Amino acid sequence: CILAAPDSSVPRGIIMKPSTGKKPYLVYLIYAALLLPLLLVSLMIPRYVEMQINDNARINCVGRLRMLSQKITKNILLYRDGAVQKSDVEKPLALFNESIHAVAEGGSIPLDIEQPQFMVVPEMDDRVSRRLLDIAIRQWEPFEGHVISYINTKNEASLKYILTRNDALVETLDRSVLAIQNHADEDQMVMGLLSGAAIIMTIIGITGWLIRQLRRYRSAVARLAEIERLLPICAGCKKIRTDNSRPFDPRSWTSIEEYLRDSKDMVFTHSLCPDCMSKYDPGHSGGDTGGA
């Protein structure tokens, strides 16, 4: 039988497993192994987002440089014919020179040609793009020199140089845009992989936590079912405790007959077993001991 605990609502017959004081270090280690890469990825993603913004700004700027070189050449011809002033050539010339160096070497690049708003970008770190930008700079420097020479002296040799070399400069700028775009696509792919890895690790971590919580829940349910199967019974009078929350209230205790009648819907008849028969009626020789 199960003994009723005199000082607790938990029956004495329930064996409580003592706490060993050990912590699930392996679980913590697994969580740390998941959270550390997730933290690193979280720190790297903003960096790749910034790189993507810078690459997009460079692409737009170099694309405008292509248009700007065409505008310079056009204004040179208009200047030759007296249709524009010298300043109309010098302004896009200065903007082109500032922009191409800023794209390659880092600095302020214009976000608009007509009403320039500037954005600061770092030095170009992609080797292919930087090599093409350096080629464009080397092509630009003599081109710029001949533009300055023509607007000051109207040297026909300078005009010829401008008209014949403009296409080569535009071609290099086009190749530069393509290289920067490819570099940006690679950065975007890496950012996508990092984001995917972060999502996967988050899902793994949450799934692991949910599985662990589910196991703990199932263990608790099993333990509760085990406890519910235990029936607190008084070691003296054999009464059943029906309310574990009030172990010292006499109303929490009932006889076995009442308990079985109320909870199991059983009907009792009374009789005497042979041992009780010999105790209460020693002269009875046996026979039917049943009764209604």
Side-chain angles (χ1 to χ4, degrees), residues 237-290:
C237 66
K238 309 304 181 185
K239 284 185 177 180
I240 303 297
R241 188 172 68 202
T242 57
D243 189 353
N244 290 331
S245 64
R246 298 181 298 171
F248 302 110
D249 189 345
R251 290 173 296 180
S252 299
W253 298 84
T254 185
S255 65
I256 293 178
E257 292 89 345
E258 292 175 345
Y259 174 79
L260 293 176
R261 183 193 63 197
D262 296 338
S263 63
K264 305 298 181 181
D265 196 22
M266 298 178 67
V267 179
F268 289 88
T269 61
H270 294 84
S271 183
L272 290 174
C273 69
D275 292 337
C276 291
M277 180 65 73
S278 62
K279 177 179 178 182
Y280 294 110
D281 191 1
H284 188 77
S285 60
D288 184 13
T289 61

Side-chain angles (χ1 to χ4, degrees), residues 213-249:
Q213 294 300 112
L214 180 61
R215 288 178 177 174
R216 293 177 64 182
Y217 171 75
R218 288 179 176 176
S219 176
V221 170
R223 186 62 177 159
L224 182 60
E226 178 184 352
I227 292 174
E228 289 178 346
R229 287 197 301 269
L230 299 176
L231 188 63
I233 185 170
C234 178
C237 66
K238 309 304 181 185
K239 284 185 177 180
I240 303 297
R241 188 172 68 202
T242 57
D243 189 353
N244 290 331
S245 64
R246 298 181 298 171
F248 302 110
D249 189 345

Side-chain angles (χ1 to χ4, degrees), residues 43-191:
L43 294 175
M44 292 175 65
I45 287 178
R47 168 61 179 161
Y48 275 96
V49 172
E50 181 182 359
M51 291 171 60
Q52 195 72 26
I53 294 174
N54 291 335
D55 286 339
N56 289 337
R58 292 189 186 101
I59 291 170
N60 293 332
C61 183
V62 177
R64 284 190 293 269
L65 288 180
R66 184 184 188 281
M67 298 170 55
L68 203 56
S69 68
Q70 300 282 38
K71 183 176 181 180
I72 292 171
T73 302
K74 176 183 176 181
N75 285 355
I76 281 290
L77 295 176
L78 293 175
Y79 176 74
R80 180 194 62 183
D81 298 335
V84 298
Q85 301 296 319
K86 182 179 179 181
S87 59
D88 294 323
V89 180
E90 292 176 333
K91 183 178 179 180
L93 190 72
L95 184 59
F96 188 106
N97 185 64
E98 180 182 358
S99 300
I100 194 170
H101 284 283
V103 170
E105 301 163 4
S108 297
I109 60 175
L111 300 179
D112 185 83
I113 293 178
E114 300 300 330
Q115 297 177 348
Q117 298 178 350
F118 292 89
M119 172 181 173
V120 178
V121 296
E123 181 180 0
M124 187 71 233
D125 56 351
D126 179 56
R127 288 182 297 177
V128 176
S129 302
R130 179 59 189 270
R131 180 176 60 83
L132 289 172
L133 289 172
D134 289 340
I135 293 174
I137 290 174
R138 289 196 296 270
Q139 291 176 334
W140 163 251
E141 289 173 347
F143 187 92
E144 178 189 24
H146 282 285
V147 171
I148 295 173
S149 174
Y150 184 79
I151 61 177
N152 288 326
T153 64
K154 290 194 175 181
N155 185 348
E156 289 298 325
S158 294
L159 178 61
K160 183 179 179 180
Y161 183 93
I162 294 169
L163 296 178
T164 56
R165 298 301 177 92
N166 180 64
D167 290 342
L169 177 60
V170 170
E171 181 183 355
T172 304
L173 292 174
D174 288 341
R175 292 170 58 196
S176 300
V177 169
L178 182 60
I180 297 173
Q181 181 64 60
N182 291 336
H183 177 64
D185 291 342
E186 293 174 0
D187 288 343
Q188 189 172 9
M189 182 180 66
V190 172
M191 186 172 65

